[in-house]
Amino acid sequence: MGKQKDVGVFQMDNGAWAYRFKIKVDGQEISRRKTTDEYGGKLRSKGAAIKARERAIIKAWTERVRKPMPARRLVREVYEEYSRNGRKDKAYSTIRKQDSLWKNHLKKKFGKRFVDEISSAEVNDYLAQLYYENEYSYQYTESFLKMFYLIFGQAYSRCYLSIDDYNRLCTNKDTKISMPKRKCDDERAIVAFSNEQLEVFDAYFKGKNTETAYLLGRYCGLRINECYGLKWDHVNLEKGTIFIDRQMQYQEGLVKLVPPKTRNAKRTIYLCEFLKEYLQRLKNQRALDAKQLAKVREQKRRIIEDLDGKKIFSTELVNCLYDGTIQTVNSFKYPSREIKARLGIGFKYHYLRHTYGTRMVEQNTPQYLLCNQMGHSNIQVTQRYYIAVSEKGIEALREKLNEL
């Protein structure tokens, strides 16, 4: 018993005594090292040091426990505070998505609730309703889960949630909020077009205003925003490369060139000979258009804001029409509808990216190279293309089976 009381008490070289301790109260670590008692007097004996340490521990404990929590906050107040102070480093598209989820869904149901009265079960039931009853996609439902984590994290950082409440909601694996079980028929499949479908698309887009964008998706796997944000001075036809370091976005009704989706999206992509020759012909033609249609292009061209805030003309973009008219991400809405109606094929520009990734895998492209070409920030995203079962992959499997 005496040894337990000795813990944290020690004698110094000058003969006087001192104590130290480290405790955790409500998740907060408190440590002290003192050579005096609560009145400032020196500790002249071991017994005095033991008593002073015990009183100091009690004081530290009671002061922490009795410390009043700030006034309770509504979920609305927490989100508004986050909007003002917590997302200055967020991309414009991220801010728009968060505000959309808040205004159109979460504000009405949770805005007037106190953040510390919401239970994990309540959130999980809400997510299950979105996914199973409202039939929102798994990925869209996951956006709501991220919003709850964001709100609870903001509340905890501002001391509107105790550590116990935060752990219950966000860290304890048995009680934390989580996604509902994925439906067996809901898979994040890689959608790759067959060779026959690609031949149909090649014929459909040939000579159309959207042909260049189509070919960049088909042979480079660009995201649609990257495609329409590509500038001619980022195309190096001698080396056969294009450099991606910006994308096109609508911000507050204006067309702007902004940083790419992720840091890894900034990359150099290598061109096949077919696309290199196509872009060379297109560049030569645009040089002729600049001379022959100078007045028309001067009237039709549009001023847009570049990545560095400077103003540039739409004629500096690869996806610009011969007369200077700008093309945007909306240019693919009509072709997508027409392909579905006329050809009976579900077409999305992003599926061209899936097709590019699948074809590269079929060519036995090393994962790290494909990850770089696709601009993925996570190798696990790239690995999905290696796991996906493609048409050619099945043919190759059958050949191997026949060899048995």
Side-chain angles (χ1 to χ4, degrees), residues 192-382:
F193 295 121
S194 65
N195 289 335
E196 292 75 18
Q197 289 173 324
L198 290 173
E199 289 177 4
V200 171
F201 297 151
D202 289 345
Y204 172 83
F205 284 104
K206 190 171 182 60
K208 287 186 168 58
N209 292 338
T210 48
E211 182 180 14
T212 302
Y214 164 71
L215 293 177
L216 286 168
R218 186 185 187 320
Y219 292 108
C220 294
L222 296 189
R223 301 177 177 93
I224 190 168
N225 299 71
E226 296 172 343
C227 172
Y228 283 102
L230 182 62
K231 299 169 62 178
W232 275 114
D233 60 9
H234 283 47
V235 178
N236 189 327
L237 294 174
E238 290 185 8
K239 294 183 177 180
T241 62
I242 59 176
F243 180 58
I244 303 299
D245 70 341
R246 64 201 67 199
Q247 62 175 335
M248 179 184 287
Q249 273 189 2
Y250 279 98
Q251 293 190 0
E252 298 173 352
L254 300 176
V255 176
K256 296 183 180 181
L257 300 184
V258 301
K261 183 179 180 182
T262 64
R263 182 176 60 183
N264 292 66
K266 185 177 179 179
R267 64 201 187 276
T268 297
I269 295 179
Y270 296 88
L271 305 174
C272 64
E273 286 300 317
F274 171 80
L275 187 56
K276 191 166 76 168
E277 292 173 3
Y278 171 86
L279 290 174
Q280 184 65 68
R281 292 195 302 271
L282 182 65
K283 188 174 184 179
N284 295 340
Q285 183 59 50
R286 290 295 173 263
L288 290 175
D289 294 338
K291 294 178 181 179
Q292 298 174 356
L293 303 171
K295 291 185 177 179
V296 175
R297 285 164 67 89
E298 185 176 349
Q299 186 179 61
K300 292 277 190 178
R301 66 187 181 184
R302 182 172 172 180
I303 296 176
I304 60 176
E305 185 177 307
D306 201 357
L307 185 65
D308 54 8
K310 293 181 179 179
K311 307 298 181 183
I312 64 171
F313 290 115
S314 56
T315 46
E316 295 185 37
L317 301 176
V318 173
N319 283 286
C320 173
L321 299 185
Y322 66 95
D323 62 357
T325 301
I326 191 173
Q327 288 192 296
T328 71
V329 294
N330 292 328
S331 301
F332 249 82
K333 288 184 176 180
Y334 175 76
S336 298
R337 291 196 300 267
E338 191 175 42
I339 289 172
K340 177 67 174 177
R342 284 178 47 189
L343 306 177
I345 303 174
F347 181 90
K348 290 184 179 180
Y349 187 88
H350 201 72
Y351 291 167
L352 294 174
R353 178 173 168 82
H354 285 186
T355 304
Y356 170 81
T358 302
R359 295 292 180 266
M360 293 291 284
V361 169
E362 291 172 350
Q363 299 299 322
N364 296 316
T365 305
Q367 284 191 28
Y368 73 95
L369 288 178
L370 180 56
C371 183
N372 176 74
Q373 291 291 280
M374 299 288 283
H376 290 151
S377 57
N378 189 331
I379 192 67
Q380 292 180 348
V381 179
T382 309

Side-chain angles (χ1 to χ4, degrees), residues 90-242:
K90 300 297 182 183
Y92 179 81
S93 57
T94 300
I95 293 174
R96 283 192 62 187
K97 184 176 182 180
Q98 289 174 348
D99 285 344
S100 175
L101 292 172
W102 172 253
K103 292 176 183 177
N104 297 323
H105 300 277
L106 298 176
K107 182 178 180 180
K108 182 177 180 181
K109 186 170 182 64
F110 293 96
K112 296 181 180 180
R113 301 279 304 283
F114 285 110
V115 69
D116 60 356
E117 71 177 7
I118 297 175
S119 67
S120 302
E122 184 178 4
V123 175
N124 290 340
D125 290 345
Y126 178 68
L127 296 175
Q129 179 184 345
L130 295 177
Y131 183 51
Y132 294 123
E133 297 179 24
N134 296 5
E135 296 188 342
Y136 290 164
S137 72
Y138 193 83
Q139 294 75 33
Y140 189 53
T141 305
E142 204 167 25
S143 301
F144 288 87
L145 177 67
K146 293 177 181 178
M147 283 288 288
F148 281 110
Y149 273 113
L150 182 154
I151 290 169
F152 293 140
Q154 174 74 10
Y156 175 62
S157 69
R158 302 285 177 171
C159 296
Y160 308 145
L161 270 182
S162 69
I163 188 170
D164 291 333
D165 285 338
Y166 179 75
N167 287 339
R168 171 177 54 81
L169 290 164
C170 299
T171 63
N172 189 310
K173 69 176 184 178
D174 296 322
T175 64
K176 69 178 183 179
I177 58 176
S178 58
M179 284 292 291
K181 186 176 180 181
R182 189 193 289 270
K183 302 171 189 174
C184 61
D185 59 345
D186 182 8
E187 298 295 335
R188 299 182 67 178
I190 300 296
V191 180
F193 295 121
S194 65
N195 289 335
E196 292 75 18
Q197 289 173 324
L198 290 173
E199 289 177 4
V200 171
F201 297 151
D202 289 345
Y204 172 83
F205 284 104
K206 190 171 182 60
K208 287 186 168 58
N209 292 338
T210 48
E211 182 180 14
T212 302
Y214 164 71
L215 293 177
L216 286 168
R218 186 185 187 320
Y219 292 108
C220 294
L222 296 189
R223 301 177 177 93
I224 190 168
N225 299 71
E226 296 172 343
C227 172
Y228 283 102
L230 182 62
K231 299 169 62 178
W232 275 114
D233 60 9
H234 283 47
V235 178
N236 189 327
L237 294 174
E238 290 185 8
K239 294 183 177 180
T241 62
I242 59 176

Side-chain angles (χ1 to χ4, degrees), residues 1-119:
M1 191 73 174
K3 284 188 176 181
Q4 288 183 343
K5 288 189 176 182
D6 287 352
V7 174
V9 173
F10 58 96
Q11 190 172 24
M12 299 185 293
D13 293 340
N14 63 2
W17 288 79
Y19 68 84
R20 58 173 168 256
F21 66 83
K22 184 184 292 184
I23 61 175
K24 186 173 284 188
V25 182
D26 196 19
Q28 180 71 35
E29 192 173 87
I30 301 172
S31 61
R32 296 282 190 276
R33 186 182 189 279
K34 299 278 286 185
T35 60
T36 60
D37 60 21
E38 65 265 40
Y39 305 111
K42 290 184 178 181
L43 302 172
R44 301 187 183 279
S45 67
K46 182 178 180 180
I50 291 174
K51 290 181 180 179
R53 182 176 183 272
E54 290 175 347
R55 287 193 292 266
I57 290 175
I58 293 172
K59 183 180 179 182
W61 182 273
T62 55
E63 284 181 348
R64 180 66 188 172
V65 171
R66 290 174 183 173
K67 185 178 179 181
M69 289 287 288
R72 300 175 76 191
R73 293 291 190 274
L74 300 175
V75 174
R76 172 181 56 79
E77 294 173 318
V78 174
Y79 185 76
E80 289 173 352
E81 186 175 19
Y82 163 75
S83 299
R84 289 193 304 270
N85 307 317
R87 60 181 188 184
K88 292 181 173 61
D89 61 334
K90 300 297 182 183
Y92 179 81
S93 57
T94 300
I95 293 174
R96 283 192 62 187
K97 184 176 182 180
Q98 289 174 348
D99 285 344
S100 175
L101 292 172
W102 172 253
K103 292 176 183 177
N104 297 323
H105 300 277
L106 298 176
K107 182 178 180 180
K108 182 177 180 181
K109 186 170 182 64
F110 293 96
K112 296 181 180 180
R113 301 279 304 283
F114 285 110
V115 69
D116 60 356
E117 71 177 7
I118 297 175
S119 67

